[in-house]
Amino acid sequence: MARFFSPALVPLVSLVLLLRSGASSAQHTLSAGSSLSVEDHERPFLVSPDATFSCGFLPAVHVDNAFYFSVWFTAATDRTAVWTANPGAPVNGRVSRVSFGDDGKLGLADANGTTVWDSRNAGSKHFTVSLLDTGNLRVLDPSTGRAVWQSFDWLTDTLLPSQPLTKDTRLVAGYYSLYYDNDNVLRLLYD
């Protein structure tokens, strides 16, 4: 019986093994005290369990040395954000960092140390932050199993499957806003 071996298969097998090992080593949940510096922007802060979504620092388009803390589709070549903290105001490309502190808050600090965005939840060092397969970044109180903060409650310009669009939320993309008005009518407004 003849064996078939193709040298062309070696790189393909190596790539599959590399992708598997990379996906399994990526974290989707972090404890208090974790942080990521903007200088490490090539490395995600979190990756969802099925590796569909990643979050970390993305370079601001058309602005030098500026970054956003965002969630994006991992496989997208352009890494387009589906959620962004503090949209419209990127942080400096040096010394800025995102941290999940002992107070149970997720915070984004600019180069001068000023907190420019945080998750605004009261917390404790026992809270965890995780990125779900749905793309929802959330801070969880493990004692109750309840999300005390989640990105799905703070829409930016993208609505993901299973993300609610409620009376209290507004989807804003460029000059357009999608929202429910006081009469519970879904409206698209050009501003």
Side-chain angles (χ1 to χ4, degrees):
M1 179 173 178
R3 290 188 159 189
F4 176 75
F5 176 74
S6 170
L9 290 177
V10 173
L12 180 61
V13 170
S14 299
L15 178 62
V16 169
L17 291 174
L18 178 65
L19 289 175
R20 282 189 169 188
S21 68
S24 65
S25 66
Q27 292 185 305
H28 64 275
T29 300
L30 295 173
S31 310
S34 302
S35 66
L36 177 69
S37 173
V38 73
E39 284 90 356
D40 299 326
H41 68 271
E42 292 298 324
R43 181 175 65 94
F45 185 61
L46 290 168
V47 176
S48 63
D50 68 359
T52 300
F53 293 95
S54 297
C55 77
F57 286 105
L58 290 178
V61 180
H62 307 299
V63 180
D64 289 336
N65 198 36
F67 290 82
Y68 290 104
F69 179 68
S70 301
V71 175
W72 66 87
F73 282 104
T74 304
T77 55
D78 62 356
R79 294 172 71 180
T80 301
V82 298
W83 175 84
T84 299
N86 206 31
V91 294
N92 191 295
R94 298 206 188 278
V95 193
S96 300
R97 72 186 316 96
V98 63
S99 303
F100 186 57
D102 289 334
D103 59 358
K105 286 185 184 177
L106 192 59
L108 178 62
D110 208 343
N112 63 5
T114 303
T115 300
V116 295
W117 174 89
D118 71 46
S119 56
R120 297 183 189 160
N121 60 282
S124 79
K125 64 181 179 181
H126 302 292
F127 283 10
T128 59
V129 61
S130 58
L131 182 60
L132 305 180
D133 291 336
T134 58
N136 190 11
L137 180 65
R138 70 178 186 173
V139 176
L140 182 74
D141 179 352
S143 66
T144 64
R146 186 178 70 85
V148 295
W149 177 89
Q150 57 186 356
S151 61
F152 271 16
D153 291 340
W154 300 93
L155 297 176
T156 52
D157 64 355
T158 305
L159 191 63
L160 294 172
S162 79
Q163 184 174 9
L165 178 62
T166 66
K167 186 167 179 56
D168 299 324
T169 57
R170 183 179 284 245
L171 183 68
V172 178
Y175 295 110
Y176 294 92
S177 294
L178 184 67
Y179 65 98
Y180 285 100
D181 68 9
N182 292 335
D183 297 326
N184 291 325
V185 174
L186 187 61
R187 302 231 184 242
L188 179 64
L189 176 69
Y190 176 79
D191 186 8

